[in-house]
Amino acid sequence: MPSGASAAPRHRVRLDQPRAPRRSLLPEYDPEAFGRFSERIARFIGTGRFLVWMTLIIILWVVWNIFAPRDLRFDEYPFIFLTLMLSLQASYAAPLILLAQNRQADRDRVTQEQERKQNERSIADTEYLTREIAALRMGLGEVATRDWIRSEFQDLMKEMDDRRLFPQDTSRGSDEGDR
């Protein structure tokens, strides 16, 4: 070590241990809970009930601010505060709806992947069963069936009749024909 330089011990980063959590100035939230909340809001915004309530509130707002006594009106004719409130509602509704759509798209993607894997398994199973049935048919092609034995027996009987292995008495045969 040089004599004039002071060596301060350096802090070594340990790669085999997780880092200590850092303090953040940003608020912490549960993304899953926030996603569920946004989906509930998006579902409500997309209903007729929301449109009816929104329409009633706007009508009441306008009627109140037109016909109420002057000292009780809170938003005079151009209804600037109403416009601000509707803009605020729209500025929050759009991202919440997009978040809900993204979550639904993620769920759909997972479902499609699972269905694709299931279809692949079904196709593989079907191909396996097709091969097994073909092998059974080939094996059964060599097995003597009842119909095959019957047809062979009938062919033998016909052949025996043709060869006349059991010759009939001609004299007796003519007597039978006379009767």
Side-chain angles (χ1 to χ4, degrees), residues 1-169:
M1 251 184 159
S3 60
S6 66
R10 286 183 52 192
H11 177 67
R12 299 189 85 200
V13 176
R14 301 267 326 244
L15 297 178
D16 61 337
Q17 296 177 352
R19 289 185 186 181
R22 291 184 178 181
R23 298 182 107 194
S24 175
L25 297 177
L26 299 175
E28 301 221 2
Y29 67 96
D30 180 16
E32 203 50 39
F34 188 75
R36 286 191 303 271
F37 175 71
S38 68
E39 285 176 341
R40 281 199 314 264
I41 290 175
R43 265 190 229 105
F44 177 67
I45 289 174
T47 63
R49 179 180 293 156
F50 172 77
L51 292 175
V52 168
W53 279 107
M54 184 84 158
T55 304
L56 289 174
I57 289 171
I58 291 171
I59 289 172
L60 287 174
W61 186 298
V62 170
V63 168
W64 178 265
N65 285 297
I66 289 176
F67 296 113
R70 283 215 180 265
D71 56 337
L72 295 178
R73 295 180 192 172
F74 57 90
D75 192 16
E76 291 294 325
Y77 165 64
F79 307 116
I80 294 173
F81 188 52
L82 175 63
T83 305
L84 175 68
M85 295 307 292
L86 291 174
S87 297
L88 183 66
Q89 182 266 333
S91 69
Y92 274 97
L96 288 174
I97 291 169
L98 288 174
L99 177 62
Q101 287 176 340
N102 289 340
R103 286 173 52 90
Q104 184 62 44
D106 291 341
R107 280 194 298 274
D108 291 345
R109 195 174 307 113
V110 168
T111 302
Q112 287 174 347
E113 181 65 22
Q114 289 173 347
E115 288 174 354
R116 186 187 63 77
K117 287 180 181 178
Q118 180 62 38
N119 288 341
E120 286 177 357
R121 285 191 298 270
S122 295
I123 289 170
D125 289 346
T126 303
E127 289 174 352
Y128 171 76
L129 290 173
T130 303
R131 286 191 302 273
E132 288 296 311
I133 289 172
L136 286 172
R137 283 184 177 167
M138 288 172 40
L140 282 176
E142 298 171 5
V143 173
T145 62
R146 180 183 64 190
D147 294 334
W148 182 78
I149 292 172
R150 183 175 290 144
S151 69
E152 288 293 315
F153 184 67
Q154 287 173 348
D155 290 344
L156 273 173
M157 293 294 288
K158 185 178 180 186
E159 186 180 326
M160 287 172 51
D161 283 342
D162 290 345
R163 289 188 184 175
R164 302 236 181 245
L165 290 177
F166 303 110
Q168 295 180 354
D169 214 4

